Amino acid sequence: MNLYIYPSAAITTNGYGLAVIEDLKKQDRLKDDIVIWYVKNSAQSPYYKNTDIVIKRLKPYGLKRIWNVLRNRVSGELYYEDIKFLRNKNIGNVFCGDVVFYRAIRKLFPDKQITVRFHNCFSRINTRTQILDVKSNLKFRITLKSMFQLEKEIFNDKKVYKLFISNEDRDYYSMITGRTYDSDTWSFTPNEKLMYKNRKAIHFSKKIVWFGGLEKHKQDSVRWFINKVFMDLKKDIPDLEFHLWGKGTTEFNDKKNKIYGHGFYNGEEMPLKGEALYINPDITGGGIKMKLLTYFENGIPFISTPFGYEGYSKELIDNKFCYVVEENEWIKKIKTILI
């Protein structure tokens, strides 16, 4: 029997879940295989089986998570004790669906060849932020430090086959280690048939949209957009509005400056579709932004930084539905799009 352990429910409501679905499509699980889901809450999914095992993620401020941080470990890292029930199982192949499982899996199987899935490459982000002197919040700096140490261990483990989410991440690994034989890229491409089917005429109003949750590093990118781009744009477009939907967006609510943090979005159609420009102001990069897959396939016009566009084909940049523009050109480009 084989072992598969995944870091999210296989659902379409968040990027992690979408990435897991794409991984599942590449795998042929057998009846006797052991499948573990490491999730906050169980969710309905056609990929679940009655025999699957669910392990609850660590509580946000629980003692286990705090102890991980104090040891310079990733806060949500899995504990060996959570999977030690597998130690007497006759396990064949092991698919470790995220780096947060690596240490527990390696302790369980010290000599086994395993496959580890990278949903990001924080070592590359760490290098980039240091060279470019990018200012990040404390929480993200702690994450970078712990992730760098974890990825260093995995990079140097010659009994790990590494699966990266973009060629850029894999190229970084190969450049650092000099190895190409022990890694591959499992990336994503939009369904072009669906993409062109959903493209309708655009009639831009003076509205900009951020769509998605605001985790640690994403907050820095949104603050950059507000402070360095949006407020400057308002000098020439005084009635410009910025709407944010997703987890953590309410804290950015600033009605005085026409910034509206709406929280979770429950509508069926993408909000303000056909009249708003969506943004992906990623200032650190790394991994691949699943939200762009959603934008492409829903016919949503968007602008991204080059860092935020990593992992996607440059052939998709048409400067109508997809703009990829360097940070210092965002103000100028958005003006030409909306005015």
Side-chain angles (χ1 to χ4, degrees):
M1 68 183 71
N2 301 316
L3 171 65
Y4 297 86
I5 178 167
Y6 299 105
S8 168
I11 51 178
T12 60
T13 53
N14 63 65
Y16 231 160
L18 286 168
V20 168
I21 289 173
E22 292 299 317
D23 285 356
L24 288 165
K25 291 177 181 177
K26 296 179 175 69
Q27 298 168 328
D28 294 316
R29 293 180 295 167
L30 302 177
K31 183 179 180 181
D32 294 332
D33 289 341
I34 297 174
V35 178
I36 298 175
W37 303 93
Y38 186 53
V39 297
K40 291 181 181 178
N41 298 294
S42 299
Q44 294 298 318
S45 170
Y47 297 96
Y48 284 4
K49 296 179 181 178
N50 293 333
T51 55
D52 290 354
I53 299 165
V54 174
I55 297 177
K56 290 294 183 68
R57 276 188 172 270
L58 302 182
K59 295 179 181 179
Y61 298 101
L63 291 177
K64 284 188 174 181
R65 193 176 283 267
I66 293 171
W67 180 232
N68 273 340
V69 173
L70 292 175
R71 294 184 295 162
N72 190 32
R73 294 199 167 195
V74 181
S75 66
E77 200 169 326
L78 186 71
Y79 278 73
Y80 164 74
E81 287 73 21
D82 293 323
I83 58 169
K84 68 179 181 180
F85 65 89
L86 297 169
R87 59 189 170 186
N88 295 320
K89 301 284 186 180
N90 184 22
I91 302 294
N93 298 319
V94 177
F95 177 78
C96 183
D98 192 274
V99 296
V100 297
F101 307 134
Y102 166 76
R103 287 183 175 125
I105 291 289
R106 181 46 84 213
K107 184 174 181 179
L108 188 68
F109 305 113
D111 300 311
K112 185 179 286 293
Q113 178 76 29
I114 64 175
T115 297
V116 175
R117 175 59 150 149
F118 287 74
H119 287 269
N120 213 322
C121 182
F122 283 91
S123 301
R124 187 161 74 96
I125 296 175
N126 186 56
T127 300
R128 178 176 286 164
T129 55
Q130 289 182 5
I131 291 175
L132 299 180
D133 198 24
V134 175
K135 305 301 180 185
S136 301
N137 61 67
L138 177 60
K139 200 171 182 181
F140 186 54
R141 292 200 301 273
I142 292 172
T143 297
L144 278 181
K145 183 179 178 182
S146 58
M147 274 292 192
F148 175 79
Q149 185 59 44
L150 175 57
E151 290 178 354
K152 178 181 176 182
E153 291 180 31
I154 302 172
F155 283 3
N156 284 297
D157 188 336
K158 294 183 179 179
K159 291 187 177 181
V160 168
Y161 192 77
K162 296 90 176 172
L163 289 176
F164 293 95
I165 207 163
S166 72
N167 286 329
E168 289 89 344
D169 282 355
R170 187 186 180 213
D171 289 344
Y172 173 87
Y173 164 75
S174 296
M175 178 185 67
I176 293 296
T177 64
R179 298 193 296 268
T180 58
Y181 63 89
D182 64 347
S183 65
D184 198 2
T185 300
W186 279 11
S187 193
F188 315 110
T189 56
N191 181 328
E192 292 195 28
K193 184 177 179 180
L194 190 62
M195 180 176 80
Y196 290 115
K197 176 185 175 182
N198 286 328
R199 287 186 172 181
K200 309 297 181 184
I202 306 169
H203 302 286
F204 283 119
S205 59
K206 293 166 184 175
K207 294 181 176 66
I208 294 174
V209 168
W210 163 273
F211 191 76
L214 282 173
E215 291 81 13
K216 298 174 285 292
H217 58 296
K218 294 178 182 177
Q219 291 175 6
D220 291 331
S221 294
V222 169
R223 288 193 180 96
W224 167 80
F225 172 75
I226 291 173
N227 296 327
K228 302 296 185 180
V229 180
F230 182 74
M231 299 308 293
D232 207 314
L233 284 169
K234 285 182 67 65
K235 295 175 184 177
D236 293 322
I237 316 174
D239 53 346
L240 185 65
E241 297 176 5
F242 181 32
H243 294 263
L244 302 91
W245 278 276
K247 181 181 178 181
T249 57
T250 54
E251 68 178 82
F252 284 85
N253 198 51
D254 180 5
K255 293 182 179 180
K256 179 181 177 182
N257 286 306
K258 297 187 178 180
I259 300 172
Y260 306 99
H262 300 283
F264 283 105
Y265 181 72
N266 296 315
E268 296 182 4
E269 185 89 340
M270 299 283 285
L272 301 176
K273 181 177 179 179
E275 63 171 305
L277 177 68
Y278 279 56
I279 62 167
N280 183 38
D282 193 331
I283 59 175
T284 58
I288 187 170
K289 303 301 174 287
M290 296 300 293
K291 69 167 78 256
L292 299 193
L293 199 67
T294 302
Y295 297 166
F296 276 124
E297 295 184 350
N298 282 273
I300 299 294
F302 68 89
I303 183 172
S304 175
T305 58
F307 290 162
Y309 193 74
E310 290 170 342
Y312 291 94
S313 170
K314 290 181 173 60
E315 293 181 2
L316 295 171
I317 303 171
D318 62 355
N319 292 312
K320 183 176 181 182
F321 283 89
C322 173
Y323 300 86
V324 179
V325 182
E326 294 177 12
E327 295 171 25
N328 60 350
E329 294 292 320
W330 266 48
I331 294 173
K332 179 180 177 181
K333 177 56 71 173
I334 293 175
K335 284 181 183 177
T336 63
I337 296 170
L338 297 184
I339 297 179

